[in-house]
Structures are given as structure tokens and as C-alpha cells.
Amino acid sequence: MVESQQREETASRPLLLNRYAVVTVLIAAYAFIAAVARPLTLPATATVLVPGLALVVWGARRTPRKIVKTTRATVVIWFTLLGAFCVWEVVAFGWGNDQAHPTLSLAFDPVLENYAARVIGYVIWLSTGAWVASR
């Protein structure tokens, strides 16, 4: 009797989805839809920018679970790497965005040529972004 009562209570409770499971399903669904856009086109750019900006806003508005002490040297290293990447992208784009001076998008274009590779790329990119934004 006790066992049947427990089963009834369990069956009557609403299904509580794990937050990570929901995020995983959303990332996978978005990846399958966004990968339809041909690479290096305006729709492909939008499918990258929209969730990217959403992750930046989400990450910026969050309060970290714990405060991590960093040194000035660590901050300088990360900003130097970020700055070097930004300079590379701007120079490559301004230079002509050709095979001799590719932006990151052009460099990855052969790898992301087919649909399955684009889906995997979106999943990796969005999962990494969600992980960084949640820290």
C-alpha cells in the first residue's frame, strides 16, 4: 500500500526539468535550425550574433557564485590575447578577407562547409558561451 501511494504521488507531481537539460535541448534545437544558414552570409551572421549577444548580456548581469582573486598579470595576459584577436580580425577584414589574410570565419569556412559540421560547430560554440557566461 505504501509503495502504491508513493507511485501515485510521484506520478501526480509535475516533471521538474533540470536546468542543464533545458539549456542542452535549447542549444541543440538552435544549432539544428541555425545551421541551415549558408556560411558567410547575413543570415549566418545573425544566427551567430543574436545568441552571442544574449550570452554576453546574461553573463554580464549574473552575480558570480564565488569571487576569484586574480593578479594584474593574469588580467593583462587575457586582455592582450583578446586585443590581438580583435586586431587580427579588423586587419584581416580591412585587408580584404582573402585566403592570405583570413578572418576566423573565412578560416573555418572549409571545416563548416556541410550541415552536420555546422550543427556541431554551433553546439560547441553555444555550449562554450553558456559555460563561460555561467561562471
Side-chain angles (χ1 to χ4, degrees):
M1 172 138 165
V2 172
E3 189 176 310
S4 66
Q5 186 179 11
Q6 286 177 342
R7 268 192 253 139
E8 286 177 17
E9 287 176 8
T10 304
S12 66
R13 275 191 267 159
L15 178 63
L16 298 175
L17 295 175
N18 183 338
R19 173 177 63 182
Y20 299 108
V22 171
V23 170
T24 302
V25 168
L26 289 174
I27 286 172
Y30 188 83
F32 279 104
I33 295 167
V36 172
R38 281 189 3 252
L40 304 175
T41 62
L42 192 57
T45 302
T47 61
V48 170
L49 284 179
V50 170
L53 290 174
L55 285 170
V56 167
V57 169
W58 177 47
R61 294 187 66 184
R62 288 188 75 254
T63 303
R65 285 186 220 140
K66 63 180 182 176
I67 303 297
V68 178
K69 298 282 184 178
T70 59
T71 63
R72 189 173 300 239
T74 304
V75 173
V76 168
I77 290 170
W78 279 108
F79 273 99
T80 301
L81 290 171
L82 177 64
F85 172 74
C86 291
V87 167
W88 173 272
E89 286 289 299
V90 169
V91 168
F93 185 77
W95 205 283
N97 196 20
D98 56 13
Q99 293 300 329
H101 308 92
T103 58
L104 190 62
S105 301
L106 190 61
F108 274 107
D109 189 42
V111 176
L112 301 174
E113 196 170 278
N114 64 40
Y115 177 78
R118 286 195 303 274
V119 169
I120 292 168
Y122 274 108
V123 167
I124 291 169
W125 177 75
L126 290 170
S127 299
T128 303
W131 178 77
V132 168
S134 68
R135 298 287 166 243

